[in-house]
Amino acid sequence: MTHPAPEPAGEDLLRRLAPQVLGALLRRYGHFDAAEDAVQEALLAAARQWPEEGRPRNPRGWLIRVASRRLTDQLRSEDARRRREETAAALTPRDEFVAPPPGEGRAPAEDDTLTLLFLCCRADLPAAGRIALTLRAVGGLTTAEIARALLVPEATMAQRISRAKRRIKTSPSPFGTPAGTADREQEQEQEQEQKQEREREREARLADVLHVLYLIFNEGYTATSGRELQRADLATEAIRLTRAVHALLPDDGEVAGLLALMLLTDARRAARTGPDGSLVPLAEQDRTRWDRDAIAEGVALVSDALTRTPLGPYQLRAAIAAVHDESASDEDTDWAEILALYEVLIRLVPGPVERLGHAVAVAMVHGPRRALDLLAALDDDDHLAGHHRLEAVRAHLLEMAGDRAAARDAYAKAAGLTLSTPERRYLQSRAARTAE
């Protein structure tokens, strides 16, 4: 049954519902590729029918029904049904994430997006493949967007996603129990080994889940391409899913740290663009427009995690964001504290993005010349070399150092590398300003 008045399908609604529908089909039928195709057909049907006939009262249920019909049409033969059952068994999780022990909390049973998130982060898939596949299925990102987020060529990313899908189709469940043992003592030893193995798998799987959520949020907070600086729907969905994971694992410091990081960063959303959609850098933002409730929640989360759980990268990133958010102005920012946090972070995660942030903090404390020396080492990094962010930071540091001609060239180079219209216009304006 539909509403009497026609309503537009709503691109944001369809994008948000797509992973939920895919998760429901995978739980019921398996067959990742076929389920993904069926969901796409259902989304196209909705985009055609809803504007004319009105949006259903239960859009998610409507999409699941349509996608299920499409899928069952493809799986009518006995052989197809057998493959479907095998794949469904392989996709069915049997660990703590879906059925947490009593007292650890539980996400809503209807949250198929959260189910899909953990289904894709399978222990038997290569790390790069499961992260890419999850960004595709859960985040709804295109292959090109995933490639830019992970700093790899698009063709490489397409291969990773294809291999991950094939592996899911053919592999047995990674959570099966080994064969029986000769005696009780052996059984106990094997049970302990299995418990330890499950714990290692859980930790690795959780790390992938958090990484994926972090990447989805980053794409929402600063889109890697397009006319808009931000994709609020992606950032909001990443926060929602991270809240759900936090409800499952309330005592995990890194889950709390990631949720805090998202809240503290997203709190600046309203101040990041001007009335015309132009980019407003952090130093120039109107801080009265920041979401103080989100900041308070984020600070409380990271403060609690830092005092009672092992230190981790997301907690450190959240602590850095908290220093920014609690500063009354850019001039009041405690850059020495931020630098100290970055020093710890790059020891835990010496990645190019972390080292880039560290260089900025070095410039604010010790001056731009020392930071420029640090950037020189990143020129040889396969992931960051030629990336617009490296050139944009270099331009900013050169401008701080008073080398306006070199800064102008670096800003222009960065503008030519980015696919984001707001970022390109901002970088072009900076290049023009340094040429005056």
Side-chain angles (χ1 to χ4, degrees), residues 307-330:
T307 57
R308 65 179 182 81
T309 66
L311 186 64
Y314 291 116
Q315 295 170 54
L316 288 166
R317 295 183 183 109
I320 291 168
V323 175
H324 282 295
D325 285 11
E326 292 188 305
S327 302
S329 66
D330 185 63

Side-chain angles (χ1 to χ4, degrees), residues 40-82:
Q40 290 302 314
E41 290 186 28
L43 293 174
L44 288 173
R48 289 193 301 266
Q49 296 179 33
W50 292 3
E52 297 180 0
E53 302 174 6
R55 183 181 301 173
R57 294 186 185 278
N58 181 1
R60 175 178 172 274
W62 188 96
L63 289 168
I64 290 174
R65 285 194 300 274
V66 172
S68 294
R69 285 198 296 268
R70 299 289 197 278
L71 185 57
T72 54
D73 285 344
Q74 300 176 54
L75 304 176
R76 282 179 174 172
S77 72
E78 186 62 34
D79 183 59
R81 283 196 295 272
R82 180 183 57 79

Side-chain angles (χ1 to χ4, degrees), residues 172-367:
S173 170
F175 305 108
T177 302
T181 56
D183 53 44
R184 181 57 186 166
E185 183 176 350
Q186 275 190 311
E187 283 183 7
Q188 291 175 342
E189 290 178 358
Q190 291 200 1
E191 286 175 2
Q192 182 63 27
E193 291 174 359
Q194 291 163 20
K195 181 179 179 181
Q196 293 173 352
E197 179 62 25
R198 285 195 299 270
E199 181 63 23
R200 286 192 292 270
E201 288 180 2
R202 189 195 76 87
E203 291 176 0
R205 203 171 181 194
L206 178 60
D208 285 343
V209 166
L210 297 185
H211 188 193
V212 166
L213 291 172
Y214 183 46
L215 292 173
I216 293 173
F217 175 81
N218 286 344
E219 179 64 27
Y221 188 68
T222 303
T224 55
S225 64
R227 293 177 296 176
E228 303 296 330
L229 179 67
Q230 305 175 95
R231 294 174 60 179
D233 59 318
L234 280 182
T236 300
E237 180 67 359
I239 291 173
R240 184 186 74 81
L241 289 170
T242 307
R243 284 192 186 280
V245 178
H246 182 54
L248 284 170
L249 302 168
D251 296 324
D252 190 288
E254 280 294 82
V255 176
L258 178 58
L259 178 56
L261 173 62
M262 290 180 178
L263 292 169
L264 291 163
T265 306
D266 193 61
R268 310 171 199 149
R269 185 199 305 174
R272 294 186 67 231
T273 54
D276 59 352
S278 60
L279 184 154
V280 180
L282 179 63
E284 300 173 17
Q285 289 176 18
D286 178 0
R287 299 186 179 216
T288 63
R289 300 184 66 195
W290 288 1
D291 186 338
R292 292 295 158 185
D293 289 338
I295 292 172
E297 183 182 359
V299 169
L301 278 167
V302 69
S303 298
D304 178 64
L306 287 170
T307 57
R308 65 179 182 81
T309 66
L311 186 64
Y314 291 116
Q315 295 170 54
L316 288 166
R317 295 183 183 109
I320 291 168
V323 175
H324 282 295
D325 285 11
E326 292 188 305
S327 302
S329 66
D330 185 63
E331 293 76 16
D332 292 333
T333 302
D334 189 343
W335 281 102
E337 182 178 356
I338 289 175
L339 177 57
L341 290 167
Y342 264 116
E343 295 283 0
V344 180
L345 178 60
I346 62 173
R347 286 199 294 270
L348 290 178
V349 186
V353 174
E354 290 74 21
R355 291 159 63 195
L356 196 61
H358 172 252
V360 173
V362 168
M364 300 305 293
V365 176
H366 299 298

Side-chain angles (χ1 to χ4, degrees), residues 95-112:
D95 62 352
E96 298 90 334
F97 292 118
V98 174
E104 290 193 8
R106 183 185 296 271
E110 67 274 10
D111 192 350
D112 287 308

Side-chain angles (χ1 to χ4, degrees), residues 7-59:
E7 295 180 32
E11 183 178 345
D12 289 347
L13 175 64
L14 292 178
R15 185 184 298 113
R16 179 171 58 83
L17 291 176
Q20 298 183 32
V21 177
L22 179 56
L25 262 64
L26 285 175
R27 284 193 300 104
R28 192 175 303 173
Y29 303 104
H31 259 285
F32 194 104
D33 275 339
E36 191 176 40
D37 290 342
V39 171
Q40 290 302 314
E41 290 186 28
L43 293 174
L44 288 173
R48 289 193 301 266
Q49 296 179 33
W50 292 3
E52 297 180 0
E53 302 174 6
R55 183 181 301 173
R57 294 186 185 278
N58 181 1

Side-chain angles (χ1 to χ4, degrees), residues 114-133:
L114 186 62
T115 301
L116 178 61
L117 179 64
F118 286 103
L119 288 178
C120 288
C121 289
R122 294 162 56 93
D124 60 338
L125 294 178
R130 58 182 178 251
I131 289 170
L133 183 65

Side-chain angles (χ1 to χ4, degrees), residues 355 371-381 390 394:
R355 291 159 63 195
L372 284 166
D373 291 339
L374 295 174
L375 286 194
L378 292 175
D379 287 334
D380 297 325
D381 185 277
L390 175 60
R394 193 193 317 276

